[in-house]
Each structure stands twice: as structure tokens, then as C-alpha cells.
Amino acid sequence: MDCIFCGIAQGSVPAALAYEGERVLAFSDLNPQAPTHLLIIPRKHYASIQDVPAEEIGIVGEIVTVAQDLARERGIWPGGYRLVVNAGQEGGQTVGHLHVHLLAGRQMHWPPG
Ligand code: 5GP
Ligand code: ZN
């Protein structure tokens, strides 16, 4: 399968890693939209959050736990941050491997574009 984030998870595609766990990985976004812009992914390939079966949905909690840890370690909290999951074409998803964006370091606005 030709998936860039699987390549990062397997080490064949370079990335600036922020966290490496057994099931979850975090790395810097190539095109950052905030002073801190990390992508947190499961090592296992899911095409989108919609494709995570109910019996495996715990992986999403593991990703959120990694986000909390990174926010604490990097002094992002208590300032604040934004977690974003784009899903599908109208959701703005461009890479077909589930990822959670962790954005921080500037004032966020609402609604998003
Ligand atoms: P999406 O639009 O699918 O939610 O977000 C995909 C994100 O992946 C984008 O923010 C984009 O900059 C990032 N991205 C795309 N290709 C690469 C890559 O090869 N390496 C890294 N680190 N980020 C990437
Ligand atoms: Zn993948």
C-alpha cells in the first residue's frame, strides 16, 4: 500500500518525530499552520476516523492521551491548543491515514474555514 504516513510509521519516510509509542506516533506537520503543528497517528493504517471499527476505537483515546502528554511536556497547556480530525473529502482530509492535528502557539479562531 502506498501510504506516506505508513512510511513514516515504518521509518522509510523521514519525519521530525515528537513521540514514538508502540501503537501511536507523533511528528511535525510538513506545512505547519501554527507555531506548534503536530500530527498524531496510529501506527496501524485506518483510512479515516470513520474507518476505525467500534472494537478498535480505543486507539482514538490513546491518540488523545498522547496529545495531552505533548501539551503538558511542551508547555502548551494551560495556554491552550486545538485538536482537529479532518474526515473525507468534504471534511478536508488530504492524507488517507487517520491523523489528529495538534495545533498550538497562536490564538485560534472559530469557525474554521
Ligand atoms: P489533512 O488535510 O489530511 O487533515 O492533513 C494532512 C496533513 O499532512 C497536512 O497538514 C499536510 O501538511 C501534512 N503532510 C502531508 N504530507 C506530509 C508528509 O510527507 N510529511 C509530513 N510530516 N506531513 C505531511
Ligand atoms: Zn497508512
Side-chain angles (χ1 to χ4, degrees):
M1 187 197 305
D2 193 20
C3 171
I4 194 84
F5 288 179
C6 280
I8 290 173
Q10 289 156 14
S12 57
V13 174
L17 297 180
Y19 172 81
E20 272 186 285
E22 201 178 308
R23 286 151 51 90
V24 174
L25 198 69
F27 52 89
S28 297
D29 195 292
L30 207 54
N31 183 22
Q33 301 301 313
T36 296
H37 188 173
L38 301 174
L39 300 173
I40 311 172
I41 69 165
R43 287 187 182 276
K44 182 170 176 180
H45 182 91
Y46 302 98
S48 77
I49 198 163
Q50 189 66 22
D51 295 286
V52 182
E55 62 272 20
E56 296 178 31
I57 203 69
I59 191 67
V60 178
E62 290 186 40
I63 288 171
V64 173
T65 297
V66 169
Q68 292 175 326
D69 291 346
L70 287 166
R72 201 177 301 115
E73 288 164 19
R74 294 178 170 229
I76 290 166
W77 191 258
Y81 59 88
R82 179 171 288 176
L83 299 182
V84 174
V85 180
N86 298 323
Q89 191 200 333
E90 287 194 9
Q93 185 178 3
T94 59
V95 174
H97 180 129
L98 168 62
H99 51 282
V100 174
H101 297 257
L102 169 56
L103 297 141
R106 65 166 170 82
Q107 181 60 53
M108 301 296 159
H109 300 285
W110 196 262

